[in-house]
Amino acid sequence: MLHLGGRSQVVPDAVVDLLFDPQRYRFTADVTGDILRLDAELRGLDRRLAGRAAAAAVDVTTRRAELAQTGSVKVSCRRREAQSHFDDAVRTHAVISELHTDVVSYLDILRSFVVTLDPQEGLLAEAAAGWSRSPDVPAGVAVFNDEDYFLTDSRRAAGPGAFPNTIGGEQLGDLWRRDGDDPVDQPLSRQGCWLVGYIERTQEIYAVRRSDSQRREVWLLGRGFTATRTHRVLSPLIPHMQEPNSLILAAEVVTAAQFEPDF
């Protein structure tokens, strides 16, 4: 049972098994921290297994092509060897895919449990709010696949003395989060990798993903914003920056504000 604010909730068996796994000794007196660390660990497993499953699928395709090249003579040594390699590749892909499916299921169970708890304050409340948001690009957001494409408009570039191909303007937080992008090898307080900024010359609010393992994708969140209006819209959101999917929250708020009168 998890006791929260005078309420008690049964913890799903899958979550209990993971929290009390004797090989990890994860469970501590800080239940909130345990749950958030478990989420981070499952996200890391999800990402690694997804990569391994993709590589295994490529290997299956390669082995199938090699098998086809041996012709239809089933008794040849070359054919038997190719068939063996193909069968091994199929089994490996199946095992990894099943593990990945299990991890995704555990992650969904954990998050659904926290959202159902409906915590009213603290880190669990922030997590529940963030996990309730979809990480998909919100409607109204323009996506640039790379920073260089965004900087095709030279007015967006930083001034003299800055690093080349750097977006200029004012930074409004550099730890905004989005599921699938968060660096799981960082402590919980440093999970975000998105920077949100404002360019006064173009009156644009943007976000750029700054990650060593992913391309520097840029989202144009809104146009026609003065500096004063930008701060009025985004300043209340900065305390929520460490919530999961806080970038989605910022994008939705900016998009909505774009169509409101500026007082």
Side-chain angles (χ1 to χ4, degrees), residues 107-117 131:
L107 188 58
D108 182 64
I109 290 170
L110 175 67
R111 292 185 169 191
S112 296
F113 167 65
V114 174
V115 171
T116 302
L117 276 176
W131 291 338

Side-chain angles (χ1 to χ4, degrees), residues 43-57 96 99-100 104:
R43 283 188 286 116
L45 282 171
D46 177 11
R47 188 173 301 177
R48 291 193 294 274
L49 286 170
R52 289 178 59 190
I96 295 174
L99 286 173
H100 185 220
V104 171

